[in-house]
Amino acid sequence: NDYRLVLSRSMHPDSSSQDDAQAAAAAADHVQPPSAARLKDRIGRPCGNPACGKIHGTTDDETGAVTRLAIKCRNCLSEYYCSRACREAHKDQHQPDCERKQRDREERREKKAKRVQCDTCLKKFPYTKMKKCSRCRKATYCSVECQKADWEKHRGVCKKAM
């Protein structure tokens, strides 16, 4: 609908300046999609590959294209690159920092995770590490061994979930 309105206004040279002002106000009210907002946050940030030297938001002198840091490190998801080639070239130097960031992220995730008690050994583990009975989905176990040890007792109460 907006496209048709703009197109119709551009085809009629006698449209008033008031219509143009209303269109400009409507464009100012338009909210940018989240992806555009995230790209704006990176303005002025250099490419993750120090050898590259490109900076997000600047115009390339040779091609005239605007540099965008749109490629993320696949593992840590915190380093941005201007191209896949830059990401691959910097992979070896980034590896130690990447592994540290992955460990930190996993530790934060484990701290936040709800701790659940194993039905057999009664030890508490993060919910993300627990296994459930695939039949009833009620019993929780820390390992396959605990599940096997508890099966004789659990068999009588286990019913298929519907």
Side-chain angles (χ1 to χ4, degrees):
N1 284 340
D2 293 343
Y3 175 73
R4 289 182 187 155
L5 186 65
V6 171
L7 185 62
S8 68
R9 285 185 183 154
S10 67
M11 295 178 78
H12 299 297
D14 59 340
S15 64
S16 67
S17 61
Q18 185 180 15
D19 290 341
D20 293 340
Q22 288 174 347
D29 292 339
H30 178 70
V31 177
Q32 290 182 341
S35 59
R38 284 193 300 262
L39 284 173
K40 265 189 176 175
D41 291 344
R42 294 182 213 139
I43 288 182
R45 188 172 173 180
C47 177
N49 184 2
C52 174
K54 291 184 180 177
I55 297 175
H56 181 77
T58 59
T59 306
D60 188 10
D61 295 333
E62 296 171 8
T63 62
V66 176
T67 302
R68 290 181 55 189
L69 301 182
I71 310 293
K72 281 185 182 181
C73 172
R74 290 181 180 167
N75 300 321
C76 70
L77 305 174
S78 64
E79 195 67 59
Y80 291 93
Y81 299 95
C82 63
S83 66
R84 287 184 178 95
C86 273
R87 180 177 65 192
E88 291 303 315
H90 190 245
K91 189 185 224 177
D92 294 334
Q93 293 88 1
H94 176 62
Q95 191 68 28
D97 191 36
C98 186
E99 288 172 355
R100 182 186 52 80
K101 287 177 182 177
Q102 287 178 61
R103 277 193 309 273
D104 291 348
R105 189 172 71 218
E106 186 63 31
E107 287 172 9
R108 282 194 310 270
R109 188 171 167 227
E110 295 235 352
K111 280 182 185 177
K112 286 171 93 176
K114 188 173 103 179
R115 297 184 74 76
V116 180
Q117 191 172 25
C118 175
D119 289 349
T120 307
C121 66
L122 305 178
K123 291 181 185 173
K124 287 196 172 195
F125 293 94
Y127 182 77
T128 55
K129 300 287 184 193
M130 298 297 277
K131 288 125 181 76
K132 288 190 169 217
C133 172
S134 60
R135 190 174 182 198
C136 68
R137 309 293 294 163
K138 301 266 188 264
T140 54
Y141 303 103
C142 62
S143 66
V144 176
E145 291 78 25
C146 280
Q147 185 176 9
K148 286 180 180 178
D150 189 49
W151 177 239
E152 289 302 319
K153 186 170 64 171
H154 178 66
R155 182 184 300 187
V157 294
C158 186
K159 296 228 172 28
K160 190 166 185 124
M162 289 187 206

